[in-house]
Amino acid sequence: MPRKAAQNTETPEEETIVTFPTQDEDETEKLSRMLAAVMEYLTDDDLEEMDIEYLLDSTEGLRDWWDQYRESNKKVIEDEIKKSLGELSLKDLEKIREQIKEIKE
């Protein structure tokens, strides 16, 4: 397991609040188990740097949960992108359009 790196003392500009839909007891137990595994990993004094892939691979169900969360968060990301489009230059917008065309082909 990699060793812990120096703590990042920078304060994020915007705080992200994660909300979860009401869960049944089994789902709550699974989430509690995954959270406990993550917290054990993060508080390991021998850890020098975090290895997210290791954490996702070694914590049963965490990768599936993370993928589902990211997919459910897709709409939020889309809205953020739409709001920021007006601030971009024409050149930047043209680059984005080209990237979208490449994806569609």
Side-chain angles (χ1 to χ4, degrees), residues 14-72:
E14 187 175 308
E15 185 174 320
T16 302
I17 299 174
V18 177
T19 58
F20 299 98
T22 305
Q23 306 289 330
D24 61 20
E25 264 186 59
D26 283 344
E27 189 67 20
T28 301
E29 279 184 40
K30 289 177 189 175
L31 290 171
S32 292
R33 182 187 47 73
M34 287 188 285
L35 178 60
V38 169
M39 292 305 296
E40 284 180 25
Y41 178 80
L42 294 176
T43 57
D44 182 351
D45 289 336
D46 294 332
L47 188 68
E48 283 187 11
E49 70 179 46
M50 286 191 294
D51 182 351
I52 299 301
E53 284 301 315
Y54 169 83
L55 192 56
L56 290 171
D57 290 339
S58 66
T59 306
E60 182 183 341
L62 185 58
R63 184 176 297 279
D64 291 335
W65 175 85
W66 180 239
D67 290 342
Q68 289 173 359
Y69 171 77
R70 289 177 61 212
E71 186 61 36
S72 69

Side-chain angles (χ1 to χ4, degrees), residues 45-102:
D45 289 336
D46 294 332
L47 188 68
E48 283 187 11
E49 70 179 46
M50 286 191 294
D51 182 351
I52 299 301
E53 284 301 315
Y54 169 83
L55 192 56
L56 290 171
D57 290 339
S58 66
T59 306
E60 182 183 341
L62 185 58
R63 184 176 297 279
D64 291 335
W65 175 85
W66 180 239
D67 290 342
Q68 289 173 359
Y69 171 77
R70 289 177 61 212
E71 186 61 36
S72 69
N73 198 38
K74 182 178 176 181
K75 180 67 176 159
V76 173
I77 294 170
E78 289 173 357
D79 290 342
E80 288 174 4
I81 291 170
K82 286 177 188 175
K83 288 178 184 176
S84 67
L85 289 176
E87 299 170 11
L88 297 176
S89 69
L90 179 58
K91 184 177 180 179
D92 290 335
L93 290 171
E94 288 171 342
K95 285 180 188 178
I96 293 171
R97 181 171 56 184
E98 289 302 315
Q99 290 173 343
I100 292 170
K101 284 181 181 179
E102 289 174 10

